[in-house]
Structures are given as structure tokens and as C-alpha cells.
Amino acid sequence: MDYDVIYIGSGNAAWQGGRFLRKAGLKILIVEESLYGGTCANRGCNSKALLDAPYEIKALTDNFEGVGKSGNFEVDWPSLMKFKRKRIANMAPFLDGKFKEYDLDVAHGKGVIVDEHTVKVGDETYTTDKIVIATGLKPVIPDIPGKEYLHDSTDYLDIDELPKHAIIIGAGFVGMEFASILAEAGLSADVIIRGNMALKYFHQPYVQKVIEILKEKNIRFHFNENVKEVISNIEIDNPLDKVLNVTNAQNSDEILRDPEAKINNNAYENGFTVNCESGLSLTGDYVVSAIGREANVEDIGLENVGLTYTKQGIKVNGHLQTVVPNIYASGDVADTGIAKLVTVAIHHSKYLAKELLGEADEITYPVVPAVAYTIPRIATVGVPAYIADESDEYDVHQIRYGNSYSLELKNDTTAEAKVIVDKDLQIVGAEIYAADAENVANMFAFIINKKITLEELDYMIYAFPSSSSVCLYKLHNIHYDL
């Protein structure tokens, strides 16, 4: 065999564990057809964080309107985008260096499984003992008339100028986070939702709070609507070339990359009309498909080894093993029933390193915090409030920690959390609505995973003032039944 393990994909679901296998003496090959690091590093999490941060700061400064704020904090999108592109352009070369440091071999091109022990990349063929599929997810583009005029999250995170009026199809992470940026930028948008809920996996009273804020800032919501078609009101040369050029532009191999590849990623004033089955008709400058993501496994040879998949991914057992014993799936492409987050992908990859070294039982998961990076943020961790409300096994305690004077130093009085405890007063879950909900969620994740008791929390001394210290302090009301 040429290799002990071949990873198809180079994101966190692959290299995080691959480095440990190499350190243990196994020979590793990582196959990548695009940029090293995959979606999160190059056209997902990192890009979103860089572009979101100034708007988060803007929202915080707006809290001081009339009580200390002078002038306006304005975000210059073109210079922000230039900064984003410069930073993100360094990610793939950085990881290239790390792969060399870890002594991981790489092959550029699309990895295709030929048989249980063979992967073909271009004209080269490699044999291996084990294969790990780590190809992640890709945005879903609905199969409707005019789909060629739809943009996905990759496009949006690389647009030169924000659209004055966007139409966003979908209200999950991508749709709601993009809507928040547009709202803070003083622009407008229509959000079309197929069902009756936005961010359906989050605490709906908190989601509604965010929706009301967005409504006040010219974001309109249309629930229970099905998009029928997208019509272009302008002439665009070869709109289908956009799809072809994306592949060339993102290829990580300098020889294969087309330096002249350009994506028509512009907004056109009143350029597009979106029609829904109900008769609703909306016109805007830019249309985003944000209806979800699906397994990125097209043309990688699954049929050659008898593997099947759904939009949720490739089904695996408790060892992340597919029905083909020596082929595994890791990260978002694995259908495990667990949230598809980069943190879970890292957990998978590290677990698989132990599994492939014969050092692991079935995979287990700690509680996994999830955050919607809207403005303000919403987070959830552990047992959700809606389950607790319907069960006699739990109690839900509301903590309005934003009303504390320590938080009022930032003039943020709306921050709150709902803490779920069992009958032994052990914290088992939390819902958070706050500007820094992600940090508070991480705190609760630690408490829940380590089963820290309310009595132990009450004994501890915290840095003050801080949102976490105030939130923790207020937990003593539960402990002492105050």
C-alpha cells in the first residue's frame, strides 16, 4: 500500500487527526481539489467572522446614542473586503506550511474512490489501507427556473459592494446572519422562509427578539412561502459561466488555477424578481440562496464501493465507519445526527485518529454549544428550553443579567439567559440572548460537561465586572431558592 490513510478533503475533519496519525508513524495523504483548509478556513467561518466584527462593534456603540456617543461609526465595506481577502488569502499557504511541518503528503485535484483501497487523483492512482471521506457540505441551490441568478454564501462573503436591497431565501444561520449585516449597514432585505420559523433549532422567543430588531431596520420577513422562480430584469452575459469559474478560481494548485477567472458577483439595482407560489413577488438587487447545505460527495466514486448518501451525508456507525469497513466519514459529510459544526468536525477528526490506532471505543459527544451570529447573538447548549418546558424532569430559570449595573456599563440591558436544571439542581442546558452569547455559552458548556454543581459555582470567585460573572452570580438565586 502507498499509504496507511488517505483523506479526501483537507479541512478540520481531516488534518486535525491526520497529524496525530503521522506522529504515530502512519503514512498519510491528504487530497484536495480546492483551497487547503476547506470551507471554514477559506469561504465560511473565518470570512464571516472578519466581515461581521465591525458591525458588531457598530451595534455596541449604538447603545450609547445620547449617553456619550459622538458622531457615527461607519463601516467601509470595500476596505473591509480588501482586508478580508488579504487575511483569507494567507490561510491556504499557512496550512500548506503546516502540512509540511506535520509531514503530511498532499495531492491536488479531485479524489475519486476507485475501489476499497484505491483513490485516483487526476492521472495518479494511490493505494491505501483506510480511506476517510472529509468533503464537507455545499450550499443548496434550488432547482427552479432562474437558479443561475442565485448566489450562495461563498458569493456573498466575497461581494465587492453590499446590495442596497437583497432577497434572501432561507432563514437559517446564513440567512439570518447576512440579514443582520445588511441591517447594521443601513440597507434593506426581504427574507423568504418556507416554514413558520427562522433559526428553528434556537430558542424561538429569542429568535423573535432578533426578528423584531431586524424589522425595525428595514428587513422584511415572509413566512410560509415557496419560491417558484427567479427572473432577471437585466442582461447578464453567460450567467452559467459563474458556476464554471468558481471551480477554477478556488483551485489550490497554482498550475491549475485560472488567474483570469472572474465571477459575476455584482448587485444590480432592481435587477431580479423572485416570484413565490402564493403570488408574492419581490424585486431586489441580489438574490441569495440560504436554504441549507447538503453532502458534498458528487462524483467522488461512492458508487464504486456501494456507498449511498442523503443530503445529511454518508451514514456511519459509532466508530464513524461506513458500511465499507475500511472507509470512514468525518465532519459535516458524516450523517451522525449531531450538529454540523466545525467544532464537531475537529472532534470527529481527533476521535478517528484514536480509532484508526486501535485506541478508541465508540465515539461519544460532550454537549455542543451552537451560536447564531446575528446581532445580537443567540446561543443554545445542552437540554433546550422547549423540551424542559414540556417535561416534569426539568425547571427553567430566567436570568436577566443584562439588567445588572455591571452590564449597564456597556449600556446593554437586554442580555438574558434561560438556565435549565434537573430535579437535583444540576445545570443541564442554557439558552442565551446577548451581544456576547457565544462566550456565555462556552461557560455553560464547561459547567454542564464537567457537572459543576450550583454549590461549587457559588463558592468560586470571578473576575468582575463581566457578563459571565454577573450571570454566574445570579445562579445563586437558584441554589438558595431566592
Side-chain angles (χ1 to χ4, degrees):
M1 297 288 182
D2 296 323
Y3 289 95
D4 294 297
V5 182
I6 291 180
Y7 289 90
I8 302 178
S10 68
N12 285 289
W15 69 267
Q16 291 274 4
R19 56 184 172 157
F20 294 115
L21 292 175
R22 184 70 190 106
K23 187 175 181 180
L26 276 66
K27 193 171 183 183
I28 308 299
L29 175 68
I30 291 179
V31 180
E32 177 56 67
E33 67 170 329
S34 185
L35 296 171
Y36 289 137
T39 296
C40 189
N42 298 289
R43 48 189 178 271
C45 326
N46 292 1
S47 294
K48 171 59 173 57
L50 286 170
L51 296 174
D52 167 83
Y55 293 100
E56 178 189 10
I57 294 170
K58 178 185 178 300
L60 291 172
T61 62
D62 287 345
N63 287 342
F64 292 90
E65 191 71 50
V67 288
K69 177 184 173 185
S70 177
N72 291 317
F73 180 94
E74 299 293 341
V75 179
D76 179 48
W77 182 268
S79 64
L80 177 62
M81 180 56 65
K82 182 178 179 181
F83 169 69
K84 189 275 301 188
R85 287 171 177 163
K86 181 178 180 180
R87 290 293 300 273
I88 296 303
N90 292 327
M91 290 302 300
F94 169 78
L95 286 171
D96 184 21
K98 297 303 288 186
F99 293 167
K100 288 182 173 66
E101 177 185 330
Y102 298 139
D103 195 24
L104 302 172
D105 289 349
V106 295
H108 297 287
K110 191 176 191 69
V112 179
I113 300 171
V114 177
D115 59 41
E116 296 176 14
H117 294 284
T118 309
V119 175
K120 187 174 183 180
V121 186
D123 295 329
E124 299 294 327
T125 299
Y126 305 92
T127 57
T128 181
D129 183 27
K130 302 287 196 308
I131 296 171
V132 178
I133 302 169
T135 50
L137 302 175
K138 62 181 180 180
V140 174
I141 300 296
D143 189 13
I144 57 174
K147 64 181 179 182
E148 64 268 26
Y149 303 115
L150 293 172
H151 296 276
D152 59 24
S153 56
T154 300
D155 296 335
Y156 188 97
L157 291 172
D158 202 48
I159 191 170
D160 290 327
E161 292 278 359
L162 285 174
K164 293 180 181 178
H165 185 90
I167 299 174
I168 302 171
I169 306 171
F173 285 99
V174 171
M176 291 294 283
E177 291 175 3
F178 287 176
S180 285
I181 287 178
L182 292 169
E184 291 302 322
L187 303 170
S188 63
D190 283 286
V191 182
I192 303 172
I193 305 103
R194 183 172 54 186
N196 59 5
M197 289 190 297
L199 291 169
K200 62 182 179 180
Y201 297 114
F202 288 85
H203 189 48
Q204 286 303 299
Y206 290 166
V207 174
Q208 194 58 42
K209 285 176 180 283
V210 171
I211 287 175
E212 292 305 315
I213 289 173
L214 293 176
K215 283 181 176 179
E216 292 175 1
K217 297 182 177 182
N218 294 317
I219 309 297
R220 299 187 298 180
F221 289 83
H222 309 274
F223 291 93
N224 300 305
E225 296 284 355
N226 287 309
V227 174
K228 182 174 65 175
E229 62 183 356
V230 181
I231 297 173
S232 172
N233 303 323
I234 58 172
E235 291 293 329
I236 299 179
D237 294 334
N238 300 320
L240 290 177
D241 286 348
K242 178 178 79 117
V243 178
L244 299 175
N245 284 338
V246 169
T247 302
N248 293 332
Q250 293 178 351
N251 200 294
S252 60
D253 193 321
E254 292 288 351
I255 297 174
L256 297 177
R257 185 188 298 124
D258 178 4
E260 301 302 320
K262 301 294 181 184
I263 302 171
N264 185 346
N265 192 29
N266 301 317
Y268 296 88
E269 186 172 359
N270 298 321
F272 306 95
T273 297
V274 176
N275 292 322
C276 298
E277 292 176 359
S278 68
L280 175 69
S281 184
L282 302 168
T283 298
D285 309 341
Y286 191 86
V287 188
V288 182
S289 174
I291 60 175
R293 302 174 74 81
E294 62 185 354
N296 182 30
V297 292
E298 189 175 1
D299 300 327
I300 67 168
L302 295 185
E303 67 281 1
N304 295 333
V305 289
L307 285 178
T308 59
Y309 66 96
T310 66
K311 286 186 177 181
Q312 283 69 45
I314 303 168
K315 197 69 178 177
V316 293
N317 63 17
H319 297 268
L320 300 183
Q321 188 179 39
T322 70
V323 294
V324 181
N326 71 301
I327 300 180
Y328 298 78
S330 175
D332 288 353
V333 77
D335 183 4
T336 62
I338 302 297
K340 293 182 181 297
L341 303 168
V342 66
T343 46
V344 175
I346 294 170
H347 185 72
H348 280 181
S349 193
K350 291 180 177 178
Y351 164 81
L352 261 185
K354 294 180 179 179
E355 166 69 18
L356 297 179
L357 290 172
E359 301 172 356
D361 296 321
E362 284 197 5
I363 190 169
T364 59
Y365 296 89
V367 294
V368 180
V371 183
Y373 285 87
T374 51
I375 299 174
R377 318 302 200 198
I378 309 172
T380 183
V381 57
V383 176
Y386 80 90
I387 288 180
D389 285 335
E390 298 173 358
S391 172
D392 294 332
E393 299 179 13
Y394 307 107
D395 292 311
V396 180
H397 298 267
Q398 188 172 28
I399 299 176
R400 300 183 186 277
Y401 65 92
N403 288 329
S404 169
Y405 69 87
S406 65
L407 265 290
E408 288 177 6
L409 291 175
K410 296 180 181 179
N411 214 29
D412 176 15
T413 61
T414 62
E416 66 173 77
K418 291 184 180 178
V419 180
I420 296 91
V421 298
D422 63 18
K423 293 307 179 183
D424 296 323
L425 295 184
Q426 187 72 48
I427 297 174
V428 294
E431 312 280 8
I432 306 103
Y433 171 84
D436 61 347
E438 65 272 32
N439 294 320
V440 178
N442 283 336
M443 174 190 76
F444 276 112
F446 184 81
I447 291 170
I448 296 167
N449 282 316
K450 292 300 181 182
K451 293 182 170 56
I452 301 174
T453 67
L454 287 170
E455 184 175 4
E456 289 169 331
L457 290 172
D458 190 55
Y459 174 76
M460 297 179 189
I461 299 173
Y462 308 101
F464 180 87
S466 63
S467 56
S468 57
S469 68
V470 175
C471 189
L472 286 163
Y473 175 73
K474 287 185 175 291
L475 292 177
H476 85 287
N477 290 345
I478 304 173
H479 175 53
Y480 294 110
D481 193 23
L482 297 176

